[in-house]
Amino acid sequence: DAKTTQPPSMDCAEGRAANLPCNHSTISGNEYVYWYRQIHSQGPQYIIHGLKNNETNEMASLIITEDRKSSTLILPHATLRDTAVYYCIVRVASAGGTSYGKLTFGQGTILTVHP
Amino acid sequence: GAVVSQHPSRVICKSGTSVKIECRSLDFQATTMFWYRQFPKQSLMLMATSNEGSKATYEQGVEKDKFLINHASLTLSTLTVTSAHPEDSSFYICSARGQGIEKLFFGSGTQLSVL
């Protein structure tokens, strides 16, 4: 799976949009971009994923550049409860193999939302 | 969304004893389950992958005789830390994937403290 690069930490004011970048310059055509977050002492929580089109759900928006070498996760109105470590993960989407679905976590971005 | 239940959430044990951690998929059949370990201020490290009815596949450096994984049914996987030592103290997290489901769902984690 392609390696990702994220800034180690970011700050955001409550109520403002949080834009978390991720570089995945070696991504392959069949690899999806996934975002998870981990609030302290809890298991990771799925946020969103996409292949090449921009995606939006109730939690966030995912913007993927046209060359797919980078993406941005957008939390439109950050709250204090969004303070967490955000992981950008690139993974092959095709089925098959007993380890299909395996996620390899990097160091992620520590997002701190302050009042 | 799908729910993965992990128990216990916290366990303290004496050195040399064995500890069992359970991971259950509550509303879907988990064809594959993954076990992760996380040390303080570090990212999640994959320990092993288990597929229902077959032997687990361990990542390099993970002792299969020390970390016993059983995935006997489509809704339950267990991780047993045998002869636990203080260096095994860590946050253990399970995740599960269902047939045809792209994303992984994570348990809430188990904090193991070995005295």
Side-chain angles (χ1 to χ4, degrees):
Chain A
D1 293 339
K3 183 179 178 180
T4 62
T5 303
Q6 298 177 253
S9 65
M10 293 183 66
D11 287 340
C12 177
E14 189 177 20
R16 304 297 293 269
N19 299 302
L20 291 89
C22 179
N23 286 323
H24 31 79
S25 59
T26 59
I27 192 170
S28 300
N30 63 344
E31 290 180 312
Y32 278 73
V33 179
Y34 284 77
W35 283 85
Y36 281 78
R37 73 180 182 184
Q38 186 179 25
I39 296 171
H40 183 62
S41 297
Q42 296 183 24
Q45 176 190 23
Y46 167 83
I47 301 174
I48 200 167
H49 77 282
L51 183 62
K52 53 183 179 181
N53 296 324
N54 297 337
E55 302 287 345
T56 296
N57 62 20
E58 65 279 3
M59 289 184 68
S61 294
L62 174 60
I63 308 298
I64 303 174
T65 58
E66 192 170 342
D67 63 7
R68 302 187 68 239
K69 293 185 177 181
S70 65
S71 61
T72 301
L73 177 74
I74 301 173
L75 308 178
H77 305 287
T79 70
L80 298 179
R81 287 178 292 182
D82 291 322
T83 293
V85 181
Y86 287 77
Y87 297 98
C88 169
I89 303 168
V90 173
R91 179 175 71 80
V92 174
S94 58
T98 55
S99 64
Y100 167 55
K102 178 173 70 173
L103 293 177
T104 301
F105 287 81
Q107 295 305 307
T109 295
I110 301 172
L111 175 67
T112 302
V113 181
H114 52 83
Chain B
V3 178
V4 174
S5 176
Q6 185 174 343
H7 292 281
S9 58
R10 180 178 295 274
V11 59
I12 301 172
C13 70
K14 292 182 178 180
S15 184
T17 61
S18 294
V19 175
K20 180 183 285 188
I21 302 170
E22 291 190 350
C23 182
R24 296 180 184 272
S25 57
L26 298 186
D27 52 0
F28 68 101
Q29 293 185 325
T31 51
T32 306
M33 285 190 173
F34 302 89
W35 287 94
Y36 291 83
R37 179 169 55 182
Q38 185 175 33
F39 292 107
K41 297 188 178 182
Q42 294 187 22
S43 188
L44 286 79
M45 295 297 295
L46 181 66
M47 299 175 66
T49 303
S50 72
N51 293 285
E52 185 267 335
S54 61
K55 289 184 178 180
T57 301
Y58 290 81
E59 296 297 304
Q60 190 173 10
V62 178
E63 299 176 58
K64 63 179 182 180
D65 294 330
K66 180 169 185 62
F67 299 100
L68 302 179
I69 293 172
N70 182 281
H71 191 169
S73 78
L74 285 172
T75 59
L76 173 64
S77 176
T78 61
L79 167 67
T80 301
V81 183
T82 63
S83 186
H85 288 92
E87 58 265 30
D88 298 322
S89 298
S90 185
F91 191 55
Y92 292 87
I93 308 167
C94 71
S95 65
R97 181 186 68 82
Q99 184 72 31
I101 299 175
E102 276 291 334
K103 52 194 179 187
L104 289 187
F105 300 97
F106 286 80
S108 55
T110 298
Q111 183 62 53
L112 171 64
S113 299
V114 184
L115 304 179

Coordinates of all heavy atoms in Angstrom, one line a residue, chain A residues 31-110:
Chain A
E31 N -6.0 2.2 -5.7 CA -6.0 2.4 -4.3 C -6.9 3.5 -3.9 O -6.9 4.6 -4.5 CB -4.5 2.7 -3.9 CG -3.6 1.5 -3.9 CD -2.2 1.9 -3.5 OE1 -1.6 2.9 -4.0 OE2 -1.6 1.1 -2.7
Y32 N -7.6 3.2 -2.8 CA -8.6 4.2 -2.2 C -7.8 5.0 -1.2 O -6.8 4.6 -0.6 CB -9.7 3.5 -1.6 CG -10.9 3.1 -2.5 CD1 -10.7 2.1 -3.4 CD2 -12.1 3.8 -2.5 CE1 -11.7 1.7 -4.2 CE2 -13.1 3.4 -3.3 CZ -12.9 2.4 -4.2 OH -14.0 2.0 -5.0
V33 N -8.3 6.2 -0.9 CA -7.9 7.0 0.2 C -8.9 6.9 1.3 O -10.1 7.2 1.1 CB -7.7 8.5 -0.2 CG1 -7.2 9.3 1.0 CG2 -6.7 8.6 -1.3
Y34 N -8.5 6.5 2.5 CA -9.4 6.4 3.7 C -8.9 7.4 4.7 O -7.7 7.6 4.9 CB -9.3 5.0 4.3 CG -10.0 3.9 3.5 CD1 -9.5 3.3 2.4 CD2 -11.2 3.4 4.0 CE1 -10.2 2.4 1.7 CE2 -11.9 2.4 3.3 CZ -11.4 1.9 2.2 OH -12.1 0.9 1.5
W35 N -9.9 7.8 5.5 CA -9.6 8.7 6.7 C -10.3 8.1 7.9 O -11.5 7.7 7.8 CB -10.1 10.1 6.4 CG -9.2 10.9 5.6 CD1 -9.2 11.0 4.2 CD2 -8.2 11.8 6.0 NE1 -8.3 11.9 3.8 CE2 -7.6 12.4 4.8 CE3 -7.7 12.2 7.2 CZ2 -6.6 13.3 4.9 CZ3 -6.7 13.1 7.3 CH2 -6.1 13.7 6.1
Y36 N -9.5 7.9 8.9 CA -10.0 7.5 10.2 C -9.6 8.5 11.3 O -8.6 9.2 11.0 CB -9.5 6.1 10.6 CG -10.2 4.9 9.9 CD1 -9.9 4.6 8.6 CD2 -11.1 4.2 10.6 CE1 -10.5 3.5 8.0 CE2 -11.7 3.1 10.0 CZ -11.5 2.8 8.7 OH -12.1 1.7 8.1
R37 N -10.2 8.5 12.4 CA -9.7 9.3 13.5 C -9.8 8.5 14.8 O -10.6 7.6 14.9 CB -10.5 10.6 13.6 CG -11.9 10.5 14.2 CD -12.6 11.8 14.3 NE -13.9 11.7 14.9 CZ -14.7 12.8 15.0 NH1 -14.3 14.0 14.6 NH2 -15.9 12.7 15.5
Q38 N -8.9 8.9 15.7 CA -8.9 8.2 17.0 C -8.9 9.2 18.1 O -7.9 10.0 18.2 CB -7.6 7.3 17.1 CG -7.6 6.5 18.3 CD -6.3 5.6 18.4 OE1 -5.3 5.9 17.8 NE2 -6.4 4.5 19.2
I39 N -9.9 9.2 18.8 CA -10.0 10.0 20.0 C -9.3 9.3 21.1 O -9.3 8.1 21.2 CB -11.5 10.3 20.4 CG1 -12.1 11.1 19.2 CG2 -11.7 11.0 21.7 CD1 -13.6 11.3 19.3
H40 N -8.7 10.0 22.0 CA -7.8 9.5 23.1 C -8.5 8.2 23.7 O -9.6 8.3 24.2 CB -7.5 10.5 24.1 CG -6.6 10.1 25.1 ND1 -5.3 9.6 24.8 CD2 -6.7 9.9 26.5 CE1 -4.7 9.3 26.0 NE2 -5.5 9.4 27.0
S41 N -7.7 7.2 23.8 CA -8.1 5.9 24.5 C -9.3 5.2 23.9 O -10.0 4.5 24.6 CB -8.3 6.2 26.0 OG -7.1 6.7 26.6
Q42 N -9.6 5.5 22.6 CA -10.7 4.8 22.0 C -10.1 4.1 20.7 O -9.0 4.4 20.2 CB -11.8 5.8 21.6 CG -12.5 6.4 22.8 CD -13.6 7.3 22.4 OE1 -14.2 7.2 21.4 NE2 -13.9 8.3 23.3
G43 N -11.0 3.3 20.1 CA -10.6 2.7 18.8 C -10.8 3.7 17.7 O -11.6 4.6 17.9
P44 N -10.2 3.5 16.6 CA -10.3 4.4 15.5 C -11.8 4.4 14.9 O -12.5 3.4 15.0 CB -9.4 3.8 14.4 CG -8.3 3.1 15.2 CD -9.1 2.5 16.3
Q45 N -12.2 5.5 14.4 CA -13.5 5.7 13.9 C -13.4 6.1 12.4 O -12.7 6.9 12.0 CB -14.2 6.8 14.6 CG -15.6 7.2 14.1 CD -16.2 8.4 14.7 OE1 -15.4 9.3 15.2 NE2 -17.5 8.6 14.7
Y46 N -14.2 5.3 11.6 CA -14.2 5.6 10.1 C -14.8 7.0 9.9 O -15.8 7.4 10.5 CB -15.0 4.5 9.4 CG -15.3 4.9 8.0 CD1 -14.4 4.6 7.0 CD2 -16.6 5.4 7.7 CE1 -14.8 4.9 5.6 CE2 -16.9 5.7 6.4 CZ -16.0 5.5 5.4 OH -16.3 5.8 4.1
I47 N -14.2 7.7 9.0 CA -14.8 9.0 8.6 C -15.3 9.0 7.2 O -16.5 9.3 6.9 CB -13.7 10.2 8.7 CG1 -13.2 10.2 10.2 CG2 -14.3 11.5 8.3 CD1 -12.0 11.2 10.3
I48 N -14.4 8.7 6.2 CA -14.8 8.8 4.8 C -13.7 8.1 4.0 O -12.6 7.9 4.4 CB -14.9 10.3 4.4 CG1 -15.8 10.5 3.2 CG2 -13.6 11.0 4.3 CD1 -16.2 11.9 2.9
H49 N -14.1 7.7 2.8 CA -13.1 7.3 1.8 C -13.5 7.6 0.4 O -14.7 7.9 0.1 CB -12.9 5.7 2.0 CG -13.9 4.9 1.4 ND1 -15.1 4.6 2.0 CD2 -13.9 4.1 0.3 CE1 -15.8 3.8 1.3 NE2 -15.2 3.5 0.2
G50 N -12.5 7.6 -0.5 CA -12.8 7.9 -1.9 C -11.7 7.4 -2.8 O -10.6 7.0 -2.4
L51 N -12.0 7.3 -4.1 CA -11.1 6.8 -5.1 C -10.5 8.0 -5.9 O -9.3 8.2 -5.9 CB -11.8 5.8 -6.0 CG -10.9 5.2 -7.1 CD1 -9.8 4.4 -6.4 CD2 -11.7 4.3 -8.0
K52 N -11.4 8.7 -6.6 CA -10.9 9.9 -7.3 C -11.9 11.1 -7.3 O -11.4 12.2 -7.4 CB -10.5 9.5 -8.8 CG -11.7 8.8 -9.5 CD -11.2 8.5 -10.9 CE -12.3 7.7 -11.7 NZ -11.8 7.4 -13.1
N53 N -13.1 10.8 -7.1 CA -14.1 11.9 -7.0 C -14.1 12.4 -5.6 O -13.8 11.7 -4.6 CB -15.5 11.4 -7.4 CG -15.5 10.9 -8.8 OD1 -14.9 11.5 -9.7 ND2 -16.3 9.9 -9.1
N54 N -14.5 13.6 -5.4 CA -14.7 14.2 -4.1 C -15.9 13.5 -3.4 O -16.9 13.2 -4.1 CB -14.9 15.7 -4.2 CG -13.7 16.4 -4.8 OD1 -12.6 15.9 -4.7 ND2 -13.9 17.6 -5.3
E55 N -15.8 13.4 -2.1 CA -16.9 12.7 -1.4 C -17.3 13.6 -0.2 O -16.5 14.3 0.3 CB -16.4 11.3 -0.9 CG -15.9 10.4 -2.0 CD -17.0 9.8 -2.8 OE1 -18.2 9.9 -2.4 OE2 -16.7 9.2 -3.9
T56 N -18.6 13.4 0.1 CA -19.1 14.1 1.3 C -20.1 13.2 2.0 O -20.8 12.5 1.4 CB -19.8 15.4 0.9 OG1 -18.9 16.3 0.3 CG2 -20.4 16.1 2.1
N57 N -20.0 13.3 3.4 CA -21.0 12.6 4.2 C -21.3 13.5 5.4 O -20.9 14.7 5.4 CB -20.5 11.2 4.6 CG -19.3 11.2 5.5 OD1 -18.9 12.2 6.1 ND2 -18.6 10.1 5.5
E58 N -22.0 12.9 6.3 CA -22.5 13.7 7.5 C -21.3 14.2 8.4 O -21.5 15.1 9.2 CB -23.5 12.9 8.3 CG -23.0 11.7 9.0 CD -22.9 10.5 8.0 OE1 -23.2 10.6 6.8 OE2 -22.5 9.4 8.5
M59 N -20.2 13.6 8.2 CA -19.1 13.9 9.1 C -18.1 14.9 8.4 O -17.6 15.8 9.1 CB -18.3 12.7 9.5 CG -19.0 11.8 10.5 SD -17.9 10.4 11.0 CE -16.6 11.2 11.9
A60 N -17.8 14.7 7.1 CA -16.7 15.4 6.5 C -16.8 15.4 5.0 O -17.7 14.7 4.4 CB -15.4 14.8 7.0
S61 N -15.9 16.2 4.4 CA -15.8 16.1 2.9 C -14.3 15.7 2.6 O -13.4 16.0 3.4 CB -16.0 17.5 2.3 OG -17.4 17.8 2.5
L62 N -14.2 15.0 1.5 CA -12.9 14.5 1.1 C -12.6 15.1 -0.3 O -13.4 14.8 -1.2 CB -12.8 13.0 1.1 CG -11.5 12.4 0.5 CD1 -10.3 12.8 1.3 CD2 -11.6 10.9 0.5
I63 N -11.6 15.9 -0.4 CA -11.2 16.5 -1.7 C -9.9 15.8 -2.2 O -8.9 15.8 -1.5 CB -11.0 18.0 -1.6 CG1 -12.1 18.7 -0.9 CG2 -10.7 18.6 -3.0 CD1 -13.5 18.5 -1.7
I64 N -10.0 15.2 -3.3 CA -8.8 14.5 -3.9 C -8.4 15.2 -5.2 O -9.2 15.5 -6.0 CB -9.2 13.0 -4.3 CG1 -9.7 12.3 -3.0 CG2 -8.0 12.3 -4.9 CD1 -10.2 10.9 -3.3
T65 N -7.1 15.5 -5.3 CA -6.6 16.3 -6.4 C -6.8 15.4 -7.7 O -6.9 14.2 -7.6 CB -5.1 16.7 -6.2 OG1 -4.4 15.5 -6.0 CG2 -5.0 17.6 -5.1
E66 N -6.7 16.1 -8.8 CA -7.0 15.4 -10.1 C -5.9 14.3 -10.3 O -6.2 13.3 -10.9 CB -7.0 16.4 -11.2 CG -7.5 15.9 -12.5 CD -7.7 16.9 -13.6 OE1 -7.8 18.1 -13.2 OE2 -7.8 16.6 -14.8
D67 N -4.7 14.6 -10.0 CA -3.6 13.6 -10.1 C -3.6 12.5 -9.0 O -2.8 11.6 -9.1 CB -2.2 14.2 -10.3 CG -1.8 15.0 -9.0 OD1 -2.5 14.9 -8.0 OD2 -0.8 15.7 -9.1
R68 N -4.5 12.7 -8.0 CA -4.6 11.8 -6.9 C -3.4 11.7 -6.0 O -3.3 10.8 -5.2 CB -5.0 10.4 -7.4 CG -6.3 10.3 -8.3 CD -6.7 8.9 -8.6 NE -7.1 8.2 -7.4 CZ -6.5 7.1 -7.0 NH1 -5.5 6.6 -7.6 NH2 -7.0 6.5 -5.9
K69 N -2.5 12.6 -6.1 CA -1.3 12.5 -5.3 C -1.5 13.2 -4.0 O -0.6 13.1 -3.1 CB -0.1 13.1 -6.1 CG 0.3 12.3 -7.3 CD 1.5 12.9 -8.0 CE 1.9 12.0 -9.1 NZ 3.2 12.5 -9.8
S70 N -2.6 13.8 -3.7 CA -2.8 14.4 -2.4 C -4.3 14.5 -2.2 O -5.1 14.5 -3.2 CB -2.1 15.8 -2.3 OG -2.7 16.7 -3.1
S71 N -4.7 14.7 -1.0 CA -6.1 14.9 -0.6 C -6.2 15.7 0.6 O -5.2 16.0 1.3 CB -6.8 13.5 -0.4 OG -6.2 12.8 0.7
T72 N -7.4 16.2 0.9 CA -7.7 17.1 2.0 C -9.0 16.6 2.6 O -10.0 16.5 2.0 CB -7.8 18.6 1.6 OG1 -6.6 19.0 1.0 CG2 -8.1 19.4 2.9
L73 N -8.9 16.4 3.9 CA -10.1 16.1 4.7 C -10.6 17.4 5.3 O -9.9 18.2 5.9 CB -9.9 15.1 5.8 CG -11.0 14.8 6.7 CD1 -12.0 13.9 6.0 CD2 -10.6 14.2 8.0
I74 N -11.9 17.7 5.1 CA -12.5 18.9 5.6 C -13.6 18.7 6.6 O -14.6 18.0 6.3 CB -13.1 19.8 4.4 CG1 -12.0 20.1 3.4 CG2 -13.7 21.1 5.0 CD1 -12.5 20.8 2.1
L75 N -13.4 19.2 7.8 CA -14.4 19.2 8.8 C -15.0 20.5 8.8 O -14.4 21.5 9.2 CB -13.9 18.9 10.2 CG -13.0 17.6 10.4 CD1 -12.5 17.5 11.8 CD2 -13.8 16.4 10.0
P76 N -16.2 20.7 8.3 CA -16.8 22.0 8.0 C -16.9 23.0 9.2 O -16.7 24.2 9.1 CB -18.1 21.8 7.3 CG -18.5 20.4 7.7 CD -17.2 19.6 7.9
H77 N -17.3 22.4 10.3 CA -17.5 23.3 11.5 C -17.0 22.5 12.7 O -17.7 21.8 13.3 CB -19.0 23.6 11.7 CG -19.7 24.2 10.5 ND1 -19.5 25.5 10.1 CD2 -20.5 23.7 9.6 CE1 -20.2 25.8 9.1 NE2 -20.8 24.7 8.7
A78 N -15.7 22.7 12.9 CA -15.1 21.8 14.0 C -15.6 22.2 15.3 O -15.9 23.3 15.7 CB -13.6 22.1 13.9
T79 N -15.7 21.1 16.1 CA -16.1 21.3 17.5 C -15.0 20.7 18.4 O -14.1 20.0 18.0 CB -17.4 20.5 17.8 OG1 -17.2 19.1 17.8 CG2 -18.5 20.9 16.8
L80 N -15.1 21.0 19.7 CA -14.1 20.5 20.7 C -14.0 19.0 20.6 O -13.0 18.4 20.8 CB -14.5 21.0 22.1 CG -14.5 22.5 22.3 CD1 -14.8 22.8 23.7 CD2 -13.1 23.1 21.9
R81 N -15.2 18.3 20.3 CA -15.2 16.9 20.3 C -14.5 16.3 19.0 O -14.3 15.1 18.9 CB -16.6 16.3 20.3 CG -17.2 16.5 21.7 CD -18.7 16.0 21.7 NE -19.5 16.9 20.9 CZ -20.8 16.7 20.7 NH1 -21.4 15.7 21.3 NH2 -21.6 17.5 20.0
D82 N -14.1 17.2 18.1 CA -13.3 16.7 16.9 C -11.8 16.6 17.2 O -11.0 16.2 16.4 CB -13.6 17.6 15.8 CG -15.0 17.6 15.2 OD1 -15.5 16.4 15.2 OD2 -15.5 18.6 14.8
T83 N -11.4 17.0 18.4 CA -10.0 16.9 18.8 C -9.6 15.4 18.8 O -10.2 14.6 19.6 CB -9.7 17.5 20.2 OG1 -9.9 19.0 20.1 CG2 -8.3 17.2 20.7
A84 N -8.7 15.0 18.0 CA -8.3 13.6 17.8 C -7.1 13.5 16.9 O -6.6 14.5 16.4 CB -9.5 12.9 17.2
V85 N -6.6 12.3 16.8 CA -5.6 12.0 15.8 C -6.3 11.5 14.5 O -7.1 10.6 14.6 CB -4.6 10.9 16.3 CG1 -3.5 10.7 15.2 CG2 -4.0 11.3 17.6
Y86 N -5.9 12.2 13.4 CA -6.6 11.9 12.1 C -5.6 11.1 11.2 O -4.5 11.6 11.0 CB -7.1 13.1 11.4 CG -8.3 13.7 12.1 CD1 -8.2 14.4 13.3 CD2 -9.5 13.5 11.5 CE1 -9.3 14.9 13.9 CE2 -10.7 14.0 12.2 CZ -10.6 14.7 13.4 OH -11.7 15.2 14.0
Y87 N -6.0 10.0 10.8 CA -5.1 9.1 9.9 C -5.6 9.1 8.5 O -6.8 8.8 8.2 CB -5.1 7.7 10.5 CG -4.5 7.5 11.9 CD1 -5.4 7.4 13.0 CD2 -3.2 7.5 12.0 CE1 -4.8 7.2 14.2 CE2 -2.6 7.3 13.3 CZ -3.5 7.2 14.4 OH -2.9 7.0 15.7
C88 N -4.7 9.3 7.6 CA -5.0 9.2 6.2 C -4.3 7.9 5.7 O -3.1 7.7 6.0 CB -4.4 10.4 5.4 SG -4.3 10.3 3.6
I89 N -5.0 7.0 5.1 CA -4.5 5.7 4.8 C -4.9 5.4 3.3 O -6.0 5.6 2.9 CB -5.1 4.6 5.7 CG1 -4.8 4.9 7.2 CG2 -4.6 3.2 5.3 CD1 -5.6 4.1 8.1
V90 N -3.9 4.8 2.6 CA -4.2 4.4 1.2 C -4.2 2.9 1.2 O -3.3 2.3 1.7 CB -3.1 5.0 0.3 CG1 -3.3 4.5 -1.1 CG2 -3.2 6.5 0.3
R91 N -5.2 2.4 0.6 CA -5.3 0.9 0.6 C -5.9 0.4 -0.7 O -6.8 1.0 -1.3 CB -6.2 0.5 1.7 CG -6.4 -1.0 1.8 CD -7.2 -1.4 3.0 NE -8.6 -1.0 3.0 CZ -9.5 -1.7 2.4 NH1 -9.2 -2.8 1.6 NH2 -10.8 -1.3 2.4
V92 N -5.4 -0.7 -1.2 CA -6.0 -1.4 -2.4 C -7.4 -1.8 -2.1 O -7.7 -2.3 -1.1 CB -5.1 -2.6 -2.8 CG1 -5.8 -3.3 -4.0 CG2 -3.7 -2.1 -3.2
A93 N -8.3 -1.5 -3.1 CA -9.7 -1.8 -2.9 C -10.1 -3.1 -3.4 O -11.2 -3.6 -3.1 CB -10.5 -0.7 -3.5
S94 N -9.3 -3.7 -4.2 CA -9.7 -4.9 -4.9 C -9.8 -6.1 -3.9 O -9.0 -6.2 -3.0 CB -8.8 -5.3 -6.0 OG -7.5 -5.5 -5.5
A95 N -10.8 -6.9 -4.1 CA -11.0 -8.0 -3.2 C -10.0 -9.1 -3.5 O -9.3 -9.1 -4.5 CB -12.4 -8.6 -3.4
G96 N -9.9 -10.0 -2.5 CA -9.1 -11.2 -2.7 C -7.9 -11.2 -1.7 O -7.4 -10.1 -1.3
G97 N -7.5 -12.3 -1.4 CA -6.4 -12.4 -0.4 C -6.9 -12.4 1.0 O -7.9 -11.8 1.3
T98 N -6.3 -13.2 1.8 CA -6.8 -13.3 3.2 C -6.5 -12.1 4.1 O -7.1 -11.9 5.1 CB -6.1 -14.5 3.9 OG1 -4.7 -14.4 3.8 CG2 -6.5 -15.8 3.2
S99 N -5.7 -11.2 3.6 CA -5.4 -10.0 4.4 C -6.1 -8.8 3.8 O -5.8 -7.6 4.1 CB -3.9 -9.7 4.5 OG -3.4 -9.4 3.2
Y100 N -7.1 -9.0 2.8 CA -7.8 -7.9 2.2 C -8.5 -7.1 3.3 O -9.1 -7.7 4.2 CB -8.8 -8.5 1.3 CG -9.9 -7.5 0.8 CD1 -9.5 -6.3 0.2 CD2 -11.2 -7.8 1.0 CE1 -10.4 -5.4 -0.2 CE2 -12.2 -6.9 0.6 CZ -11.8 -5.7 0.0 OH -12.7 -4.8 -0.4
G101 N -8.4 -5.8 3.2 CA -9.0 -5.0 4.2 C -8.0 -4.4 5.2 O -8.3 -3.5 6.0
K102 N -6.8 -5.0 5.2 CA -5.8 -4.6 6.2 C -5.5 -3.1 6.1 O -5.3 -2.6 5.0 CB -4.6 -5.4 6.0 CG -3.4 -5.0 7.0 CD -2.3 -6.0 6.8 CE -1.5 -5.9 5.5 NZ -0.3 -6.7 5.5
L103 N -5.5 -2.4 7.2 CA -5.1 -0.9 7.2 C -3.8 -0.8 7.9 O -3.6 -1.3 9.0 CB -6.2 -0.1 7.9 CG -7.6 0.0 7.3 CD1 -8.5 0.8 8.2 CD2 -7.5 0.6 5.9
T104 N -2.9 0.0 7.2 CA -1.6 0.3 7.8 C -1.6 1.7 8.3 O -1.7 2.6 7.4 CB -0.5 0.0 6.8 OG1 -0.5 -1.3 6.4 CG2 0.9 0.3 7.4
F105 N -1.5 2.0 9.5 CA -1.6 3.3 10.1 C -0.2 4.0 10.2 O 0.8 3.4 10.6 CB -2.1 3.3 11.5 CG -3.6 3.0 11.6 CD1 -4.1 1.7 11.4 CD2 -4.5 4.0 11.7 CE1 -5.4 1.4 11.5 CE2 -5.9 3.7 11.7 CZ -6.3 2.4 11.6
G106 N -0.1 5.3 9.7 CA 1.0 6.1 9.9 C 0.9 6.8 11.2 O 0.2 6.4 12.1
Q107 N 1.6 7.9 11.4 CA 1.6 8.7 12.6 C 0.4 9.6 12.7 O 0.0 10.0 13.8 CB 2.9 9.5 12.8 CG 4.1 8.6 12.9 CD 4.0 7.6 14.0 OE1 3.7 8.0 15.2 NE2 4.2 6.4 13.8
G108 N -0.2 10.0 11.6 CA -1.4 10.8 11.6 C -1.1 12.2 12.0 O 0.0 12.7 12.2
T109 N -2.2 13.0 12.0 CA -2.2 14.4 12.4 C -3.0 14.6 13.7 O -4.2 14.2 13.7 CB -2.8 15.3 11.3 OG1 -2.0 15.3 10.1 CG2 -2.9 16.8 11.8
I110 N -2.3 15.2 14.7 CA -3.1 15.5 15.9 C -3.8 16.8 15.7 O -3.1 17.9 15.6 CB -2.1 15.6 17.1 CG1 -1.4 14.3 17.3 CG2 -2.9 16.0 18.4 CD1 -0.3 14.4 18.4

